[in-house]
Structures are given as C-alpha cells and as structure tokens.
Amino acid sequence: MNDQCRVALEIAPGSPHRLGAHFDGDGTNFAVFSENATRVKLCIFSADGLHELQRIDLPERTGSVWHGYLQGLKPGTLYGYRVEGPYTPENGHRFNPNKLLLDPYTREFHGLFSEHPSTFGYQVGSPQVDLSFDDRDSAPHVPKSVVSDPLSFLTDAKTLGRGWDDAFCYEAHVKGTTKLHPAVAETLRGTYDGLSSPAFLEHLTRLGVTAVELLPVQALKSEGALQARSLVNYWGYNTIGFFAPEPRYFGPSGVLGFRAMVDRFHEAGIEVILDVVYNHSGEGDHLGPTLSFRGLDNASYYRLLDGQRRYYVNDTGCGNTLNVSHPFVLRMVMDSLRFWVQTMGVDGFRFDLAVSLCRERHGFDMHGGFLDSLRQDPVLAGVKLIAEPWDVGPGGYQLGKFPPPFAEWNDRYRDTVRRFWRGDGHSAQDLGSALLGSADLFDTGGRRSWSSVNFAAAHDGFTLADTTRYVKRHNEANGENNRDGHQSNYSDNFGVEGMSDDTVIVEARRQRVRNILATVLLSQGTPMILAGDEGGNSQDGNNNAYCQDNETSWIDWQSLDDGLIEFTSALSGFRRRHAAVRQNSFLHGMSRTTDGRPDVEWRDFDGSALNWRDPGLSSLCLLLRGCAECSAGLQSEDEVLLAFNREPRDLELVLPDSGTGQWIWEINSSSDIQVAEPVTGASVLVAPQSVAAFTLRRHEGA
C-alpha cells in the first residue's frame, strides 16, 4: 500500500472475530480491543513510515472490539492507531489520540523506538507530572505496525514433540551466543540465522543438548533509564510486541529467519523453548511512554492499585503488571502462545515471573484463569511448559506449587549444589533431596521427577566459572553503583578475587566446575546449563549483565576450555545411556525393580547405611536402580552408583556386591577425559573433591 492511500479509502464494517490486521487476498481486516475508548482511528503511513497518509475511523464496534475492512489494502502497509477516550489518570484512563499506538497483534515492526518527549502521554517536566496532557504527535518517533503477508506466517509449523525423559536444556541468548563465534559467518553472527548455523548446531549435538531455551525474542523496548546511560536491555525482558520476533536479531533472512532457525533446530533433533514475558510490558510505570497498551485501554490491560488507579500494581518489579485476569488480555496471551507454536514451530515456553500470571485478586491461584486456559488449550497441550515460580509481589515465592504439566526452575537446587561444593555445613542433607529431583517440593498431584529444572547457573547471576572466581558481584559497568544483582551467590574465589595465574587455584576452580556440572547432569529431574558454562565462560564477576550488550555477555568461544566441553559431553552421554539417573517417577526406596530390590539406596563410602543425622556429613553415595529400554524395546535393569566426595583426601569406596556382573567406572570428575574402566577389586579410591559414577555390567545370561 503506497500511493493508493493518497486518495480517500472506503472502509467497510469488517469482522471482529480475529484481532490484528489480516490480509485475505482482496483486502485487510483490522480489529483491535478497547473497552473504554470512545473512538478508534486507523492511521495509514507511507512506505518509509515518515508520512501519515490517511486517518480512518474504524466504523464498527462489536462489544469491546473495534473493526473495519479496507478493500485493496495489501501486505506491507504501515499503520497504527489513535484512540480517543478520557484522559483521567487518577481514574486509570490515559487515552491520548496524539500518540500513535502499535497494534498489540502486529507481527512486524517498521522503525525504531526513541525517547523523544512526544512519546509520553503527559508533558515531561510539567509540575503536574503525568496528570498533565501532551498534545504533540508521537508518530515520527515510534515504530509502525505492518500488515503482514500471510504467506510469511503460515500456520503449518510442526513441533518436534520430544518427551521430558531425556531432556537436557541449554539456556542461550540469540545474539551473545554467536556474536564472537569464529566458525559462524560474520554476517550471521548474533542473528537467528547464525544461531542455527552448522557450527553451532554441531556444538549442541556434541553436547547432547535436546532443547535450547532462548532468552526473550519477542519484540522489546529498552528502558529510557538504560539508554540515558548508553546501555540497552540486552536480556530482553521488556516486551512490547508479543507476536513479533525481535528485529535486532534479524539476519539476511529478516523476519523469515526465525521460522527457518526453528526448522533447522528440528532437523538436528533439538527443540526450541522460548522465555516469554507476559507478566508486564515495556511501557513501564505511570511515568513511562504511551506506545500501545497504555493508550489503547490502560484500565483494562494493566492491574491498577485499588483506590489509587493512577498507579500500577508492580508485582513484577518492572513498573507495571499485565492484567491477565481480563478476558481480552488473557486472550492476547493465549493467541500469542498459539502463534509461536502453530506459525513458528516453537516447542515450549518458560514463563518469566509466572506467579504474576497466576495471581488473582485473592492471591496466587493454581486454578485461576491463566492456568486453566493454558492447561485446557488443545494447541498447547503437547508443548513444554516451564514456570519461573516467583515474583516480587505478596506471596510471590511458589516453588513446587504449579500444577501438572508444568516444570519449574528450581533455584533451591542451584543454591544447594553451590553450598555443598563450597563446603557449607548441613548442605549434604539438602543435596540428598536435590539429587532425587526435590521430591519434597514436586512429588504431588501426579507430577513427574522431570518437573524440577535443575541448574547451578543461569542468565541471572554468576556464570558457573564465576562462582569459583568471585565472592562479590562486580556490576559497576551497569551504572547502578554495584547495588544491583544478587548478594547471596554462594560462591567461592579460592583465595583470589577474579582471575589467577596460580596453577593450583586454576585447577581447583576447574575441579569445582566439573563437580557442579557432574552433579547437575547426574541428578533426577531436568538438567539445564547456561550457554558457555560447558567451557568456563566468564562475565568478569558481573552477576546481573542484563544491560551489557558487549564482550561482557557475549561468549568468548576462543577462550573456552575444550577439556571442560569434552567433560560435559561425556556427562551428557552417560545420562543418555543410563535411564537410572533420569527416571520418570520420584524415588523413595520402594521396590519397583524386577528383583524386588529398592529403587534407591543411600550408602556411606564404607558400604554402611548413611547417617543423615551426622552434622558433619560431607560425602555420600547413592545406588540407583531402574528399567531402561534397550534398542529392541525390551526392558533391562539399569544400576548406577554415584559417589560424591567433598573431603580434601582420597576416600575408599566399598562397592556393592556385583553378583555375577562387574562394576564399570564411567565418570570421574577429577579428570577431563572419561574412559570407562572395569573395576577388578571390591573397592576403589575416589579422588578428593570429586564425583564418581559406576554402572553395573551384567554378564551374558545373568
């Protein structure tokens, strides 16, 4: 649509049923929700987005949906909305028709955001603050929505459909993962195209990764406060377009590169999980800009404070909270999720600050509207659902409280593993629960052991290597006087803060990293590692690198430790081969094996029963039994012995009776290289500060 808009267009009533702008081959139907508006105008722009060519009233309102149909209006047309209604912030209404608004359902943006004063609904600097009214046109300073070509967004995508049983997740940032990758073409680095390049897929295959969990890729806006410090929102937790792939990761394929990326991951047998941020929007608090939801219907899209509707409920800590209790806001979230599955082929979602989505007026509700809608949806029934089970609102920590089929990020697991290997008192008892999938938290309502997503490091916090190099956070570059980020990191620097050239310290740190990787990959539940942790990537002690779009956060591939990568690959291979360490059911010492023996036994190194009441307990062993499917589809017993030696000396490990079989030592975290070695005696020496894993090989016919 270009010059055709320079003449008046006749608009027909159109349909309210499908929200957004949709071309049907002859023209485009527009439909947008606003419950409290008095008038909605569709604005058509020139192809460069610089000139508003026409304003057209949407002629029909059906319930809370305003709609109209323009014959002949083609894909590629740039548009936005201006919405009239009361401007009474004290009552929760912030309509201002001088502000051009993005369509919440747009799949593409044209142009960039700015911090121009005209993008705010009020007069910046006014003594009345946000109670004032700004009448400047914001259109020159905001992106435009795009009428998409339906052929670019076909609903024919297929998910990979892998189960949870062998899941191994890899949390990655689209840009930072490949920006410095020497084997990725320079023109593709930091893009969707680059992330699915053969070099990176080969690396993931080497690691045995089954799912990549991507930090937010829905279109976002960096906060003005960050831009004032010449920084950006690097992580992406500030969404403004829930249907649009973030343009800053576009490569040569443009918006089509996202679907192509997912397809290439699927060809490699790897699922794609998106970290999604439906708990708040990028419009910020009451002093933020008016870009979309605020101007369309502030009182419907956001949760406002009772009795003080000028202000937002801030359960997210990000300035506002989306009101998913409203049916049309909930509909937007559900439509968005289905879009990413049906059109983009996404295999699952990790819900940021998921408690905010599940909080009704009376508090967190596992049977609230969001969870009920999500769990009954036939399109979403087969995808992976992961909750970040906390926010900063009242009663905001709900670890273990989400219903099936959710898995949950288990931060208690993270802290337990770090504390154990640091040598904290009483941490061995906590580790016992963590190794068995934190059944005390998750074994309710028929949930499976994979419900616990086990990680020792993620995007938020120290990298795994930095937990062995820094005691204090070093976030000075964030411009917040080092006040931001976690204070409780349960980290250790081995006597030197930061990098060291002392070979003893360097090797001790590598040993700690191997121990933690081994613990994560050998625990019941779903293991997840942060991209780069497999090779010792560092962020120089920054534990809140959300605004560092630079070498601080980009993975330095040429500095990664190939020995650690090989060790991680060996651990993943062991987990894949041995179902005993990744069982579906929680283990409680019950007799579920064919020979009547219990599924798990806790042992001391000398073969005696473990004394959980020992306040000095620092080392432990567990014997796991389970059924593994062989290639012929038959059932066979899988028996694994895990030993965790936290002592600074060798410990003699008395092996269980092997019967007619033989114990094979397969994992030894005191070395990078893993070689399976048969054990000939009744005991072995396990190295100081290390993890060992043994499997029982039964003789033919036994």
Side-chain angles (χ1 to χ4, degrees):
M1 181 74 188
N2 293 308
D3 293 337
Q4 59 182 308
C5 283
R6 295 187 182 279
V7 296
L9 293 174
E10 294 290 333
I11 189 164
S15 168
H17 299 306
R18 191 179 182 195
L19 295 174
H22 298 282
F23 178 69
D24 63 6
D26 296 317
T28 300
N29 191 83
F30 295 87
V32 63
F33 158 75
S34 182
E35 185 173 332
N36 294 295
T38 58
R39 188 180 189 184
V40 177
K41 292 185 177 183
L42 172 67
C43 305
I44 306 297
F45 285 82
S46 60
D48 58 10
L50 298 179
H51 305 287
E52 185 173 346
L53 303 179
Q54 192 167 350
R55 296 185 188 182
I56 310 166
D57 281 302
L58 289 183
E60 296 290 334
R61 176 179 180 174
T62 303
S64 298
V65 178
W66 302 72
H67 51 95
Y69 181 87
L70 284 174
Q71 181 76 23
L73 196 77
K74 297 179 180 179
T77 299
L78 307 186
Y79 71 99
Y81 291 112
R82 300 182 188 273
V83 181
E84 296 182 9
Y87 188 84
T88 55
E90 63 276 15
N91 295 322
H93 299 305
R94 295 178 179 270
F95 294 102
N96 186 333
N98 301 292
K99 310 307 166 186
L100 187 75
L101 307 175
L102 286 163
D103 184 344
Y105 278 69
T106 188
R107 300 173 181 188
E108 298 177 78
F109 286 6
H110 176 90
L112 302 173
F113 292 103
S114 77
E115 291 302 307
H116 193 274
S118 67
T119 63
F120 295 80
Y122 62 94
Q123 296 173 7
V124 177
S126 167
Q128 294 180 296
V129 199
D130 62 309
L131 297 179
S132 62
F133 185 83
D134 187 271
D135 59 6
R136 286 173 292 183
D137 183 6
S138 69
H141 307 286
V142 295
K144 314 304 182 293
S145 302
V146 181
V147 176
S148 295
D149 185 343
L151 296 179
S152 298
F153 297 96
L154 298 174
T155 57
D156 61 348
K158 303 295 182 183
T159 58
L160 203 54
R162 296 189 68 145
W164 280 101
D165 295 0
D166 64 346
F168 175 22
C169 298
Y170 187 87
E171 191 194 24
H173 187 281
V174 171
K175 182 176 182 179
T177 301
T178 63
K179 184 63 177 177
L180 300 178
H181 201 305
V184 174
E186 192 167 352
T187 56
L188 302 182
R189 294 175 189 170
T191 69
Y192 302 121
D193 307 74
L195 194 67
S196 57
S197 64
F200 186 62
L201 291 177
E202 181 181 350
H203 177 72
L204 294 179
T205 302
R206 176 187 178 189
L207 291 179
V209 167
T210 68
V212 170
E213 185 177 304
L214 299 179
L215 269 69
V217 296
Q218 294 171 330
L220 67 105
K221 179 193 179 298
S222 287
E223 298 88 334
L226 286 178
Q227 295 184 59
R229 302 199 299 268
S230 299
L231 298 170
V232 298
N233 189 314
Y234 170 70
W235 284 349
Y237 292 91
N238 210 44
T239 308
I240 197 68
F242 293 107
F243 294 77
E246 169 53 38
R248 66 184 178 184
Y249 307 139
F250 285 170
S253 304
V255 70
L256 300 180
F258 187 92
R259 168 72 182 266
M261 174 194 72
V262 174
D263 289 344
R264 285 192 286 269
F265 271 110
H266 286 178
E267 290 169 5
I270 298 171
E271 293 184 313
V272 177
I273 298 172
L274 300 189
D275 196 334
V276 287
V277 191
Y278 296 111
N279 56 77
H280 75 281
S281 87
E283 288 186 308
D285 63 12
H286 63 292
L287 299 179
T290 296
L291 304 171
S292 182
F293 315 104
R294 176 172 283 138
L296 284 166
D297 194 343
N298 185 70
S300 294
Y301 273 105
Y302 294 114
R303 290 180 174 166
L304 307 178
L305 288 177
D306 289 339
Q308 293 182 295
R309 293 177 63 77
R310 174 183 175 185
Y311 303 107
Y312 297 87
V313 172
N314 190 19
D315 291 340
T316 65
C318 300
N320 65 60
T321 304
L322 282 177
N323 182 21
V324 293
S325 296
H326 191 289
F328 272 91
V329 182
L330 177 60
R331 174 179 171 179
M332 177 186 72
V333 172
M334 298 301 295
D335 287 347
S336 171
L337 292 169
R338 285 188 290 266
F339 166 78
W340 291 98
V341 173
Q342 295 178 298
T343 302
M344 296 300 194
V346 165
D347 302 279
F349 304 94
R350 180 263 193 191
F351 294 91
D352 179 66
L353 302 182
V355 173
S356 291
L357 300 171
C358 308
R359 186 180 281 108
E360 302 292 335
R361 291 187 65 86
H362 56 275
F364 176 80
D365 187 349
M366 66 180 294
H367 299 294
F370 169 73
L371 287 178
D372 283 351
S373 297
L374 190 63
R375 295 166 69 198
Q376 63 77 42
D377 190 278
V379 172
L380 304 175
V383 304
K384 290 182 169 64
L385 304 175
I386 304 170
E388 182 184 41
W390 52 78
D391 69 2
V392 299
Y397 191 72
Q398 297 290 337
L399 178 64
K401 302 295 178 57
F402 279 74
F406 271 88
E408 299 177 41
W409 270 32
N410 188 348
D411 65 324
R412 197 175 81 173
Y413 178 96
R414 173 198 64 201
D415 295 346
T416 293
V417 171
R418 291 186 184 187
R419 289 178 57 246
F420 175 79
W421 286 113
R422 191 174 67 169
D424 291 13
H426 304 286
S427 57
Q429 287 84 352
D430 292 337
L431 183 69
S433 172
L435 291 171
L436 294 184
S438 303
D440 57 319
L441 291 170
F442 296 103
D443 191 8
T444 60
R447 300 185 77 176
R448 295 293 194 172
S449 62
W450 47 255
S451 300
S452 176
V453 177
N454 300 328
F455 63 100
H459 69 274
D460 187 5
F462 279 146
T463 68
L464 185 52
D466 284 354
T467 66
T468 72
R469 297 177 183 177
Y470 299 92
V471 170
K472 300 178 181 179
R473 63 193 178 199
H474 295 270
N475 301 349
E476 291 81 4
N478 294 354
E480 299 178 43
N481 296 317
N482 205 33
R483 293 192 300 264
D484 60 304
H486 293 300
Q487 295 192 63
S488 300
N489 294 291
Y490 304 107
S491 58
D492 186 10
N493 64 12
F494 291 81
V496 176
E497 187 78 353
M499 298 295 290
S500 173
D501 55 8
D502 185 316
T503 56
V504 174
I505 292 176
V506 169
E507 185 46 45
R509 289 173 170 176
R510 292 184 77 254
Q511 179 69 57
R512 178 73 56 83
V513 168
R514 287 196 299 265
N515 291 344
I516 294 177
L517 286 169
T519 305
V520 171
L521 269 297
L522 297 176
S523 295
Q524 305 293 326
T526 300
M528 183 187 79
I529 65 172
L530 174 65
D533 277 356
E534 71 274 20
N537 187 59
S538 173
Q539 290 180 171
D540 299 324
N542 191 320
N543 77 347
N544 189 34
Y546 76 103
C547 56
Q548 298 298 321
D549 187 4
N550 50 49
E551 287 82 356
T552 298
S553 291
W554 302 341
I555 296 175
D556 184 0
W557 288 94
Q558 293 184 313
S559 296
L560 292 192
D561 186 331
D562 196 64
L564 286 178
I565 295 174
E566 190 59 35
F567 178 72
T568 307
S569 177
L571 285 171
S572 175
F574 180 90
R575 184 179 181 88
R576 190 167 54 252
R577 293 191 304 273
H578 298 290
V581 297
R582 50 177 179 84
Q583 299 189 51
N584 244 324
S585 300
F586 289 98
L587 309 180
H588 295 290
M590 306 296 289
S591 177
R592 293 189 298 132
T593 56
T594 56
D595 58 8
R597 293 182 297 169
D599 50 21
V600 61
E601 292 181 35
W602 291 101
R603 300 165 57 94
D604 209 334
F605 270 67
D606 63 5
S608 63
L610 197 65
N611 180 11
W612 289 110
R613 295 184 178 181
D614 178 5
L617 184 65
S618 63
S619 298
L620 46 85
C621 307
L622 70 156
L623 182 61
L624 300 164
R625 301 185 181 96
C627 290
E629 290 190 5
C630 68
S631 57
L634 303 175
Q635 296 291 318
S636 63
E637 293 296 341
D638 189 36
E639 198 159 340
V640 172
L641 176 68
L642 304 178
F644 299 83
N645 177 16
R646 202 178 67 188
E647 294 294 320
R649 57 185 175 85
D650 291 335
L651 284 184
E652 182 180 8
L653 172 64
V654 177
L655 296 167
D657 183 7
S658 63
T660 59
Q662 184 176 35
W663 286 104
I664 309 297
W665 193 339
E666 290 199 39
I667 298 295
N668 181 357
S669 73
S670 66
S671 172
D672 289 340
I673 305 302
Q674 304 301 297
V675 179
E677 297 181 351
V679 178
T680 57
S683 65
V684 295
L685 288 179
V686 177
Q689 292 278 320
S690 72
V691 179
F694 306 81
T695 59
L696 184 61
R697 179 185 295 166
R698 289 180 172 80
H699 296 310
E700 194 73 25

